[in-house]
PDB file of all heavy atoms in Angstrom:
ATOM      1  N   GLY Y1372     -14.859   9.873  -3.442  1.00 98.00           N
ATOM      2  CA  GLY Y1372     -15.224   8.631  -2.630  1.00 98.00           C
ATOM      3  C   GLY Y1372     -14.552   7.398  -3.227  1.00 98.00           C
ATOM      4  O   GLY Y1372     -14.602   6.375  -2.416  1.00 98.00           O
ATOM      5  N   THR Y1373     -13.837   7.530  -4.322  1.00 98.00           N
ATOM      6  CA  THR Y1373     -12.989   6.411  -4.766  1.00 98.00           C
ATOM      7  C   THR Y1373     -11.700   6.304  -3.961  1.00 98.00           C
ATOM      8  O   THR Y1373     -11.239   7.316  -3.599  1.00 98.00           O
ATOM      9  CB  THR Y1373     -12.817   6.590  -6.253  1.00 98.00           C
ATOM     10  OG1 THR Y1373     -13.971   6.466  -6.985  1.00 98.00           O
ATOM     11  CG2 THR Y1373     -11.821   5.468  -6.728  1.00 98.00           C
ATOM     12  N   SER Y1374     -11.285   5.152  -3.703  1.00 98.00           N
ATOM     13  CA  SER Y1374      -9.979   4.973  -2.965  1.00 98.00           C
ATOM     14  C   SER Y1374      -8.842   5.724  -3.503  1.00 98.00           C
ATOM     15  O   SER Y1374      -8.843   5.937  -4.869  1.00 98.00           O
ATOM     16  CB  SER Y1374      -9.626   3.550  -2.789  1.00 98.00           C
ATOM     17  OG  SER Y1374     -10.543   2.730  -2.041  1.00 98.00           O
ATOM     18  N   GLY Y1375      -7.889   6.051  -2.815  1.00 98.00           N
ATOM     19  CA  GLY Y1375      -6.704   6.703  -3.318  1.00 98.00           C
ATOM     20  C   GLY Y1375      -5.849   5.842  -4.095  1.00 98.00           C
ATOM     21  O   GLY Y1375      -5.909   4.450  -4.000  1.00 98.00           O
ATOM     22  N   ALA Y1376      -4.763   6.266  -4.825  1.00 98.00           N
ATOM     23  CA  ALA Y1376      -3.929   5.417  -5.602  1.00 98.00           C
ATOM     24  C   ALA Y1376      -3.212   4.445  -4.644  1.00 98.00           C
ATOM     25  O   ALA Y1376      -2.951   4.752  -3.363  1.00 98.00           O
ATOM     26  CB  ALA Y1376      -2.900   6.373  -6.236  1.00 98.00           C
ATOM     27  N   CYS Y1377      -2.975   3.284  -5.118  1.00 98.00           N
ATOM     28  CA  CYS Y1377      -2.533   2.184  -4.219  1.00 98.00           C
ATOM     29  C   CYS Y1377      -1.054   1.716  -4.646  1.00 98.00           C
ATOM     30  O   CYS Y1377      -0.533   2.129  -5.606  1.00 98.00           O
ATOM     31  CB  CYS Y1377      -3.453   1.088  -4.347  1.00 98.00           C
ATOM     32  SG  CYS Y1377      -3.659   0.344  -5.924  1.00 98.00           S
ATOM     33  N   GLN Y1378      -0.578   0.869  -3.777  1.00 98.00           N
ATOM     34  CA  GLN Y1378       0.820   0.351  -4.025  1.00 98.00           C
ATOM     35  C   GLN Y1378       0.771  -0.538  -5.214  1.00 98.00           C
ATOM     36  O   GLN Y1378       1.804  -0.529  -5.993  1.00 98.00           O
ATOM     37  CB  GLN Y1378       1.393  -0.457  -2.868  1.00 98.00           C
ATOM     38  CG  GLN Y1378       1.751   0.281  -1.665  1.00 98.00           C
ATOM     39  CD  GLN Y1378       2.336  -0.633  -0.634  1.00 98.00           C
ATOM     40  OE1 GLN Y1378       1.593  -1.309   0.046  1.00 98.00           O
ATOM     41  NE2 GLN Y1378       3.622  -0.717  -0.562  1.00 98.00           N
ATOM     42  N   GLY Y1379      -0.183  -1.386  -5.416  1.00 98.00           N
ATOM     43  CA  GLY Y1379      -0.182  -2.414  -6.422  1.00 98.00           C
ATOM     44  C   GLY Y1379      -0.660  -1.941  -7.796  1.00 98.00           C
ATOM     45  O   GLY Y1379      -1.068  -0.637  -7.970  1.00 98.00           O
ATOM     46  N   PRO Y1380      -0.683  -2.747  -8.836  1.00 98.00           N
ATOM     47  CA  PRO Y1380      -0.973  -2.456 -10.187  1.00 98.00           C
ATOM     48  C   PRO Y1380      -2.314  -2.283 -10.639  1.00 98.00           C
ATOM     49  O   PRO Y1380      -2.627  -2.643 -11.818  1.00 98.00           O
ATOM     50  CB  PRO Y1380      -0.163  -3.518 -10.881  1.00 98.00           C
ATOM     51  CG  PRO Y1380      -0.399  -4.586 -10.071  1.00 98.00           C
ATOM     52  CD  PRO Y1380      -0.376  -4.209  -8.633  1.00 98.00           C
ATOM     53  N   VAL Y1381      -3.395  -2.032  -9.774  1.00 98.00           N
ATOM     54  CA  VAL Y1381      -4.706  -1.840 -10.206  1.00 98.00           C
ATOM     55  C   VAL Y1381      -5.027  -0.277 -10.290  1.00 98.00           C
ATOM     56  O   VAL Y1381      -6.217   0.031 -10.479  1.00 98.00           O
ATOM     57  CB  VAL Y1381      -5.671  -2.463  -9.236  1.00 98.00           C
ATOM     58  CG1 VAL Y1381      -5.502  -3.945  -9.453  1.00 98.00           C
ATOM     59  CG2 VAL Y1381      -5.690  -2.052  -7.876  1.00 98.00           C
ATOM     60  N   ASN Y1382      -4.048   0.553 -10.263  1.00 98.00           N
ATOM     61  CA  ASN Y1382      -4.196   1.960 -10.589  1.00 98.00           C
ATOM     62  C   ASN Y1382      -4.491   2.178 -12.054  1.00 98.00           C
ATOM     63  O   ASN Y1382      -4.054   1.301 -12.941  1.00 98.00           O
ATOM     64  CB  ASN Y1382      -2.974   2.804 -10.225  1.00 98.00           C
ATOM     65  CG  ASN Y1382      -2.554   2.595  -8.755  1.00 98.00           C
ATOM     66  OD1 ASN Y1382      -3.158   3.220  -7.832  1.00 98.00           O
ATOM     67  ND2 ASN Y1382      -1.402   1.910  -8.559  1.00 98.00           N
ATOM     68  N   ILE Y1383      -5.055   3.288 -12.461  1.00 97.00           N
ATOM     69  CA  ILE Y1383      -5.275   3.611 -13.844  1.00 97.00           C
ATOM     70  C   ILE Y1383      -5.000   5.140 -13.987  1.00 97.00           C
ATOM     71  O   ILE Y1383      -5.218   5.867 -13.102  1.00 97.00           O
ATOM     72  CB  ILE Y1383      -6.616   3.273 -14.460  1.00 97.00           C
ATOM     73  CG1 ILE Y1383      -7.703   4.039 -13.763  1.00 97.00           C
ATOM     74  CG2 ILE Y1383      -6.812   1.803 -14.413  1.00 97.00           C
ATOM     75  CD1 ILE Y1383      -9.089   3.612 -14.452  1.00 97.00           C
ATOM     76  N   SER Y1384      -4.574   5.522 -15.169  1.00 96.00           N
ATOM     77  CA  SER Y1384      -4.287   6.940 -15.386  1.00 96.00           C
ATOM     78  C   SER Y1384      -5.605   7.551 -15.786  1.00 96.00           C
ATOM     79  O   SER Y1384      -6.621   6.900 -16.075  1.00 96.00           O
ATOM     80  CB  SER Y1384      -3.410   7.036 -16.703  1.00 96.00           C
ATOM     81  OG  SER Y1384      -3.889   6.573 -17.883  1.00 96.00           O
ATOM     82  N   ARG Y1385      -5.639   8.903 -15.688  1.00 95.00           N
ATOM     83  CA  ARG Y1385      -6.851   9.686 -16.009  1.00 95.00           C
ATOM     84  C   ARG Y1385      -7.273   9.397 -17.532  1.00 95.00           C
ATOM     85  O   ARG Y1385      -8.493   9.299 -17.746  1.00 95.00           O
ATOM     86  CB  ARG Y1385      -6.663  11.188 -15.869  1.00 95.00           C
ATOM     87  CG  ARG Y1385      -7.823  12.062 -16.101  1.00 95.00           C
ATOM     88  CD  ARG Y1385      -7.544  13.491 -15.798  1.00 95.00           C
ATOM     89  NE  ARG Y1385      -7.297  13.705 -14.414  1.00 95.00           N
ATOM     90  CZ  ARG Y1385      -8.287  14.050 -13.537  1.00 95.00           C
ATOM     91  NH1 ARG Y1385      -9.435  14.232 -13.943  1.00 95.00           N
ATOM     92  NH2 ARG Y1385      -8.069  14.202 -12.302  1.00 95.00           N
ATOM     93  N   ALA Y1386      -6.374   9.128 -18.443  1.00 94.00           N
ATOM     94  CA  ALA Y1386      -6.707   8.852 -19.780  1.00 94.00           C
ATOM     95  C   ALA Y1386      -7.528   7.578 -19.842  1.00 94.00           C
ATOM     96  O   ALA Y1386      -8.494   7.424 -20.534  1.00 94.00           O
ATOM     97  CB  ALA Y1386      -5.418   8.828 -20.654  1.00 94.00           C
ATOM     98  N   THR Y1387      -7.021   6.625 -19.065  1.00 95.00           N
ATOM     99  CA  THR Y1387      -7.671   5.261 -19.107  1.00 95.00           C
ATOM    100  C   THR Y1387      -9.075   5.336 -18.437  1.00 95.00           C
ATOM    101  O   THR Y1387     -10.106   4.746 -18.912  1.00 95.00           O
ATOM    102  CB  THR Y1387      -6.877   4.313 -18.399  1.00 95.00           C
ATOM    103  OG1 THR Y1387      -5.457   4.291 -18.866  1.00 95.00           O
ATOM    104  CG2 THR Y1387      -7.489   2.883 -18.505  1.00 95.00           C
ATOM    105  N   ALA Y1388      -9.141   6.224 -17.384  1.00 96.00           N
ATOM    106  CA  ALA Y1388     -10.468   6.356 -16.684  1.00 96.00           C
ATOM    107  C   ALA Y1388     -11.518   6.934 -17.671  1.00 96.00           C
ATOM    108  O   ALA Y1388     -12.631   6.543 -17.716  1.00 96.00           O
ATOM    109  CB  ALA Y1388     -10.292   7.218 -15.369  1.00 96.00           C
ATOM    110  N   GLU Y1389     -11.053   8.075 -18.372  1.00 95.00           N
ATOM    111  CA  GLU Y1389     -12.024   8.628 -19.257  1.00 95.00           C
ATOM    112  C   GLU Y1389     -12.424   7.702 -20.392  1.00 95.00           C
ATOM    113  O   GLU Y1389     -13.508   7.683 -20.911  1.00 95.00           O
ATOM    114  CB  GLU Y1389     -11.468   9.868 -19.770  1.00 95.00           C
ATOM    115  CG  GLU Y1389     -11.295  11.138 -18.697  1.00 95.00           C
ATOM    116  CD  GLU Y1389     -10.987  12.476 -19.271  1.00 95.00           C
ATOM    117  OE1 GLU Y1389     -11.185  12.557 -20.476  1.00 95.00           O
ATOM    118  OE2 GLU Y1389     -10.754  13.269 -18.458  1.00 95.00           O
ATOM    119  N   ALA Y1390     -11.544   6.910 -20.823  1.00 93.00           N
ATOM    120  CA  ALA Y1390     -11.774   5.995 -21.928  1.00 93.00           C
ATOM    121  C   ALA Y1390     -12.783   4.854 -21.493  1.00 93.00           C
ATOM    122  O   ALA Y1390     -13.615   4.546 -22.246  1.00 93.00           O
ATOM    123  CB  ALA Y1390     -10.503   5.338 -22.344  1.00 93.00           C
ATOM    124  N   SER Y1391     -12.678   4.554 -20.204  1.00 95.00           N
ATOM    125  CA  SER Y1391     -13.680   3.503 -19.709  1.00 95.00           C
ATOM    126  C   SER Y1391     -15.021   4.146 -19.503  1.00 95.00           C
ATOM    127  O   SER Y1391     -16.023   3.436 -19.689  1.00 95.00           O
ATOM    128  CB  SER Y1391     -13.128   2.927 -18.278  1.00 95.00           C
ATOM    129  OG  SER Y1391     -13.041   3.958 -17.360  1.00 95.00           O
ATOM    130  N   ILE Y1392     -15.118   5.395 -19.082  1.00 96.00           N
ATOM    131  CA  ILE Y1392     -16.357   6.062 -19.118  1.00 96.00           C
ATOM    132  C   ILE Y1392     -17.009   6.255 -20.387  1.00 96.00           C
ATOM    133  O   ILE Y1392     -18.273   6.037 -20.451  1.00 96.00           O
ATOM    134  CB  ILE Y1392     -16.111   7.496 -18.357  1.00 96.00           C
ATOM    135  CG1 ILE Y1392     -15.651   7.391 -16.904  1.00 96.00           C
ATOM    136  CG2 ILE Y1392     -17.447   8.302 -18.519  1.00 96.00           C
ATOM    137  CD1 ILE Y1392     -15.134   8.664 -16.316  1.00 96.00           C
ATOM    138  N   TYR Y1393     -16.236   6.497 -21.361  1.00 94.00           N
ATOM    139  CA  TYR Y1393     -16.816   6.320 -22.668  1.00 94.00           C
ATOM    140  C   TYR Y1393     -17.449   5.126 -23.179  1.00 94.00           C
ATOM    141  O   TYR Y1393     -18.549   5.026 -23.629  1.00 94.00           O
ATOM    142  CB  TYR Y1393     -15.705   6.833 -23.647  1.00 94.00           C
ATOM    143  CG  TYR Y1393     -16.108   6.613 -25.160  1.00 94.00           C
ATOM    144  CD1 TYR Y1393     -16.575   7.541 -25.939  1.00 94.00           C
ATOM    145  CD2 TYR Y1393     -15.715   5.404 -25.681  1.00 94.00           C
ATOM    146  CE1 TYR Y1393     -16.864   7.260 -27.229  1.00 94.00           C
ATOM    147  CE2 TYR Y1393     -16.075   4.985 -27.084  1.00 94.00           C
ATOM    148  CZ  TYR Y1393     -16.595   5.983 -27.950  1.00 94.00           C
ATOM    149  OH  TYR Y1393     -17.044   5.805 -29.174  1.00 94.00           O
ATOM    150  N   VAL Y1394     -16.662   4.081 -22.785  1.00 93.00           N
ATOM    151  CA  VAL Y1394     -17.206   2.739 -23.241  1.00 93.00           C
ATOM    152  C   VAL Y1394     -18.594   2.450 -22.385  1.00 93.00           C
ATOM    153  O   VAL Y1394     -19.435   1.920 -23.084  1.00 93.00           O
ATOM    154  CB  VAL Y1394     -16.166   1.588 -22.818  1.00 93.00           C
ATOM    155  CG1 VAL Y1394     -16.752   0.316 -22.918  1.00 93.00           C
ATOM    156  CG2 VAL Y1394     -14.862   1.809 -23.762  1.00 93.00           C
ATOM    157  N   ALA Y1395     -18.576   2.780 -21.101  1.00 96.00           N
ATOM    158  CA  ALA Y1395     -19.707   2.541 -20.295  1.00 96.00           C
ATOM    159  C   ALA Y1395     -20.934   3.310 -20.892  1.00 96.00           C
ATOM    160  O   ALA Y1395     -22.113   2.724 -21.149  1.00 96.00           O
ATOM    161  CB  ALA Y1395     -19.660   2.948 -18.900  1.00 96.00           C
ATOM    162  N   LEU Y1396     -20.708   4.554 -21.280  1.00 96.00           N
ATOM    163  CA  LEU Y1396     -21.860   5.310 -21.933  1.00 96.00           C
ATOM    164  C   LEU Y1396     -22.226   4.881 -23.297  1.00 96.00           C
ATOM    165  O   LEU Y1396     -23.451   4.888 -23.594  1.00 96.00           O
ATOM    166  CB  LEU Y1396     -21.444   6.825 -22.018  1.00 96.00           C
ATOM    167  CG  LEU Y1396     -21.224   7.599 -20.595  1.00 96.00           C
ATOM    168  CD1 LEU Y1396     -20.710   8.974 -20.767  1.00 96.00           C
ATOM    169  CD2 LEU Y1396     -22.472   7.468 -19.770  1.00 96.00           C
ATOM    170  N   LYS Y1397     -21.296   4.356 -23.972  1.00 93.00           N
ATOM    171  CA  LYS Y1397     -21.721   3.716 -25.348  1.00 93.00           C
ATOM    172  C   LYS Y1397     -22.612   2.600 -25.111  1.00 93.00           C
ATOM    173  O   LYS Y1397     -23.306   2.185 -26.100  1.00 93.00           O
ATOM    174  CB  LYS Y1397     -20.445   3.531 -26.262  1.00 93.00           C
ATOM    175  CG  LYS Y1397     -19.830   4.631 -26.966  1.00 93.00           C
ATOM    176  CD  LYS Y1397     -20.839   5.096 -28.192  1.00 93.00           C
ATOM    177  CE  LYS Y1397     -20.720   4.055 -29.261  1.00 93.00           C
ATOM    178  NZ  LYS Y1397     -21.910   3.965 -30.092  1.00 93.00           N
TER     179      LYS Y1397
END
């Protein structure tokens, strides 16, 4: 349900996404 990758620079890599999930859970 998350939007698809976009033209501009607010995309993130899977590595970054998993890192942010880690931070939220901590």
Side-chain angles (χ1 to χ4, degrees):
T1373 295
S1374 295
C1377 58
Q1378 280 185 282
V1381 295
N1382 302 287
I1383 62 175
S1384 68
R1385 182 175 293 265
T1387 306
E1389 292 195 14
S1391 62
I1392 292 165
Y1393 167 88
V1394 172
L1396 293 177
K1397 274 290 289 158

